[in-house]
Amino acid sequence: MNQDRVLEAFRRESEALTDAMSGLSEAEWNLPTRCTPWTVRDLLGHVCVVIDWLPGMLDGPAPSAAKVSAAEYYRPDDRFSPRTNSARIAMAQDRAAESADGAAFADHFAAIWRRVDRLCRVQPAGRTTRTRHGDAMLLSEFLLTRVVEVAVHGLDLADALGREPWLTPSAGDAVRELLLGAEQMAAADELTWSQPQFLRKATGREPLDESETAQIEQLGIRWLALG
């Protein structure tokens, strides 16, 4: 997927999440989410952590070639094991505890994604990078996994807060293309789901009935291991 397009989706979705998190009450920050045991504050902490890997990755040496795509990044290996998930939970909670109040934490998130946006904007097309799991990836492909994080967890946060989802069309299209493949994008229109509903169903956040399950299988949706 084109690096400029992915970065634009990342920028728009992160900005929408920043706007949504600004002005929350302390009670709202402490609401539970479907991502147990995380609260709203903890879940935003997770999003901060996974975006904040990028500056260090860009400082490191670029691999000579990309070996792993965005879809392959989600293979269910040790990165989604109970041990790694426990560490992921703790890192999110630790990050959430760093800010004195919700307003400061919303500002912290905004500073993180804007720094990443600035750093990525000056990278050449075809830039490669290595993830903390050792994957050699195109920067555009790794950025696409960050769009997944911001978009899908944005749905989790909207649901926890009892709000209408703020999913942006650019992020919704990017994640849907990752799940379907470019060749299946038109076929997905047969499902007649909104973008938020598609992502909820395709990531197991909303149940499928029997006919929907058959349609999903026919489309060959890539089910992602999200931890």
Side-chain angles (χ1 to χ4, degrees):
M1 196 175 291
N2 178 275
Q3 185 167 302
D4 289 340
R5 179 189 164 200
V6 177
L7 187 54
E8 180 67 13
F10 171 77
R11 183 185 305 125
R12 288 180 181 272
E13 191 65 16
S14 297
E15 195 164 52
L17 179 54
T18 299
D19 290 344
M21 294 295 100
S22 299
L24 293 185
S25 68
E26 285 304 306
E28 287 176 312
W29 281 107
N30 293 317
L31 287 170
T33 70
R34 64 164 57 91
C35 302
T36 308
W38 286 332
T39 62
V40 166
R41 187 189 301 268
D42 297 333
L43 185 49
L44 187 65
H46 168 68
V47 178
C48 288
V49 169
V50 299
I51 292 174
D52 217 10
W53 295 121
L54 263 157
M57 290 167 56
L58 292 173
D59 279 343
S64 58
K67 304 290 187 182
V68 175
S69 68
E72 291 165 336
Y73 174 85
Y74 290 102
R75 61 192 183 277
D77 58 14
D78 182 65
R79 74 193 66 199
F80 298 112
S81 68
R83 177 182 61 82
T84 306
N85 275 334
S86 294
R88 187 178 289 116
I89 288 168
M91 282 190 288
Q93 292 172 329
D94 289 346
R95 179 64 68 96
E98 290 177 3
S99 296
D101 57 45
F105 195 35
D107 289 344
H108 175 67
F109 168 68
I112 288 171
W113 77 256
R114 286 172 179 147
R115 179 190 180 203
V116 166
D117 176 55
R118 288 194 301 271
L119 291 172
C120 290
R121 218 181 303 167
V122 298
Q123 300 301 317
R127 169 70 152 91
T128 58
T129 188
R130 192 172 300 280
T131 74
R132 70 188 184 98
H133 301 293
D135 296 322
M137 299 180 69
L138 287 170
L139 174 60
S140 60
E141 291 288 291
F142 185 74
L143 270 173
L144 181 53
T145 70
R146 303 307 91 176
V147 175
V148 172
E149 295 281 352
V150 181
V152 174
H153 287 315
L155 291 178
D156 296 330
L157 289 164
D159 290 344
L161 293 164
R163 296 188 181 182
E164 288 297 312
W166 48 78
L167 179 68
T168 59
S170 56
D173 284 345
V175 179
R176 189 165 71 158
E177 187 171 325
L178 169 62
L179 290 163
L180 288 169
E183 68 283 354
Q184 290 279 30
M185 286 288 282
D189 293 337
E190 300 171 14
L191 297 170
T192 67
W193 295 335
S194 67
Q195 283 188 325
Q197 189 176 25
F198 177 87
L199 293 192
R200 287 194 186 100
K201 287 182 178 288
T203 59
R205 284 161 165 77
E206 189 172 313
L208 299 167
D209 63 27
E210 190 173 331
S211 65
E212 289 170 338
T213 300
Q215 285 179 303
I216 289 290
E217 290 176 353
Q218 186 177 16
L219 287 169
I221 285 181
R222 298 178 176 92
W223 297 97
L224 303 183
L226 297 174

